[in-house]
């Protein structure tokens, strides 16, 4: 694998990363890729030749090695590094898509127009792409740690393993080459992977909290603008004219509803008395 090309591809991700993302990228290159290339590959080397069993039975050593090491540490770490860094290319591809849209928009509407203020700024869809890449990276890291833990029983490498797999004639003792050195590198790579998981979680929390703060500030600014607008409306001279005109209209109104109701009642009473006098002229009414 050409690690220089891999490093050149990932260097473009650094431009669109946060502070936690840059630290994560440094940890990946310094503590994982460099250790893998410089030291780990040499320590493991052709590990099957260093796997020695105390039997001359043909095929027994190969079967025992495959039983205890279904996948090599070094190849598992290579797959992990490739899969972990692939989600970062989602961000680069999204930025490239924005750049292409910006170029087409300017070609259609002129060079003075802009579709994006900054194609690499994490707003809108790019923010969601960046956040999704963090979740995918964290999930891949956890999955590979679980696989390594499940296969090699808590990342432990013993010096001696006992094998009873056919075609071995009986229980065979097999010895692992450089067990202490391999154990140290295993713990180191597991620790570096755990550190990357912590950095990814910190970056997720940072992005989400920053988004909430931005939304809260936007709501506050909107509320402040509405308050200032209502104050300006109340201070307008036309509103004072309307209020004074309303008071004047209230003063010039006719008598209240209560007075009009009393006069109507008195009129109906007089009409009733006149009708009674017409029907009974000798009847007298109290005043």
């Amino acid at each position: 694998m050409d690690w220089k090309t891999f490093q050149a591809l990932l260097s473009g991700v650094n431009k669109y990363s946060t502070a936690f993302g840059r630290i994560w990228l440094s940890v990946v290159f310094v503590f994982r890729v460099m250790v893998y290339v410089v030291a780990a590959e040499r320590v493991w080397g052709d590990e099957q030749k260093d796997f020695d069993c105390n039997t001359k039975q043909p095929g027994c050593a190969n079967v025992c090695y495959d039983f205890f090491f279904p996948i090599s540490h070094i190849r598992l770490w290579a797959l992990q590094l490739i899969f972990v860094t692939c989600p970062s290319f989602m961000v680069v591809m999204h930025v490239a898509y924005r750049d292409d849209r910006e170029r087409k928009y300017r070609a259609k509407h002129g060079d003075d127009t802009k579709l994006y203020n900054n194609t690499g700024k994490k707003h809108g869809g790019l923010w969601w792409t960046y956040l999704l890449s963090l979740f995918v990276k964290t999930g891949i890291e956890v999955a590979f740690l679980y696989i390594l833990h499940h296969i090699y029983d808590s990342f432990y490498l013993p010096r001696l393993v006992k094998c009873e797999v056919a075609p071995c004639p009986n229980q065979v003792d097999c010895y692992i080459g450089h067990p202490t050195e391999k154990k140290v590198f295993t713990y180191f790579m597991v620790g570096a992977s755990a550190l990357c998981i912590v950095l990814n979680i910190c970056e997720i929390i940072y992005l989400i909290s920053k988004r909430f703060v931005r939304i809260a500030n936007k709501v506050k600014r909107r509320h402040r603008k509405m308050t200032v607008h209502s104050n300006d409306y109340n201070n307008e001279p036309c509103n004072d004219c309307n209020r004074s005109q309303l008071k004047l209209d209230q003063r010039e109104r006719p008598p209240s509803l209560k007075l009009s109701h009393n006069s109507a009642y008195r009129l109906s009473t007089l009409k009733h008395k006149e009708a009674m006098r017409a029907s009974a002229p000798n009847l007298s009414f109290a005043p």
Side-chain angles (χ1 to χ4, degrees):
M1 181 176 182
D2 191 359
W3 292 106
K4 291 183 179 179
T5 306
F6 186 68
Q7 182 179 2
L9 288 173
L10 275 181
S11 297
V13 182
N14 200 29
K15 296 187 295 183
Y16 316 113
S17 301
T18 62
F20 290 104
R22 294 187 181 96
I23 296 172
W24 175 86
L25 201 59
S26 301
V27 170
V28 168
F29 278 119
V30 176
F31 294 102
R32 299 179 74 175
V33 175
M34 293 295 293
V35 170
Y36 177 89
V37 173
V38 174
E41 279 187 326
R42 296 182 182 180
V43 170
W44 263 262
D46 192 359
E47 52 187 319
Q48 190 168 356
K49 289 182 179 180
D50 297 332
F51 189 79
D52 189 20
C53 299
N54 59 354
T55 181
K56 298 297 182 181
Q57 178 70 27
C60 179
N62 292 334
V63 171
C64 290
Y65 176 82
D66 183 69
F67 178 78
F68 287 104
F69 298 98
I71 182 170
S72 172
H73 286 71
I74 208 73
R75 292 176 180 86
L76 187 65
W77 290 333
L79 286 175
Q80 183 179 6
L81 288 172
I82 292 171
F83 279 104
V84 160
T85 51
C86 279
S88 299
F89 295 123
M90 295 167 57
V91 181
V92 179
M93 292 169 61
H94 197 141
V95 174
Y97 167 73
R98 279 187 167 188
D99 289 334
D100 185 61
R101 285 193 64 190
E102 183 73 21
R103 181 182 56 79
K104 291 180 179 178
Y105 186 82
R106 288 189 176 185
K108 185 177 181 180
H109 298 89
D111 294 335
D112 296 333
T113 58
K114 280 187 178 183
L115 186 60
Y116 301 100
N117 292 328
N118 185 1
T119 55
K121 199 165 185 179
K122 290 182 286 296
H123 285 304
L126 186 59
W127 185 87
W128 288 103
T129 302
Y130 195 91
L131 188 67
L132 178 63
S133 69
L134 291 176
F135 277 109
V136 173
K137 285 191 290 187
T138 306
I140 292 172
E141 293 275 19
V142 172
F144 271 93
L145 283 180
Y146 174 77
I147 291 170
L148 191 64
H149 178 274
H150 181 71
I151 292 175
Y152 295 110
D153 192 17
S154 303
F155 317 115
Y156 180 72
L157 283 176
R159 289 183 171 86
L160 172 67
V161 292
K162 296 185 179 294
C163 179
E164 297 180 0
V165 184
C168 298
N170 48 26
Q171 189 179 69
V172 177
D173 295 334
C174 296
Y175 301 90
I176 300 173
H178 311 289
T180 304
E181 197 171 10
K182 290 178 179 179
K183 191 188 304 181
V184 170
F185 275 103
T186 301
Y187 287 145
F188 181 84
M189 295 296 282
V190 168
S193 180
L195 179 60
C196 289
I197 292 174
V198 172
L199 289 172
N200 287 333
I201 293 173
C202 290
E203 192 171 9
I204 289 171
I205 295 172
Y206 169 76
L207 283 175
I208 295 176
S209 60
K210 190 176 179 181
R211 184 67 176 264
F212 275 116
V213 169
R214 188 183 297 120
I215 292 173
N217 291 333
K218 190 181 294 185
V219 171
K220 286 181 181 178
R221 285 196 299 267
R222 188 179 300 170
H223 180 70
R224 196 176 301 156
K225 286 180 180 178
M226 290 176 65
T227 306
V228 171
H229 180 71
S230 62
N231 292 335
D232 292 341
Y233 177 77
N234 292 331
N235 293 330
E236 288 181 359
C238 293
N239 293 331
D240 296 335
C241 296
N242 293 332
R243 285 196 291 268
S244 59
Q245 185 66 33
L246 181 61
K247 292 180 180 178
L248 185 61
D249 292 341
Q250 288 177 353
R251 291 176 184 174
E252 294 177 354
R253 278 182 182 175
S256 62
L257 184 62
K258 183 177 180 181
L259 296 176
S260 61
H261 176 74
N262 292 335
S263 60
Y265 176 75
R266 288 176 183 174
L267 183 60
S268 62
T269 305
L270 290 174
K271 288 182 179 181
H272 181 68
K273 287 182 179 181
E274 289 177 358
M276 293 286 290
R277 282 182 185 146
S279 60
N282 297 325
L283 186 63
S284 60
F285 293 92

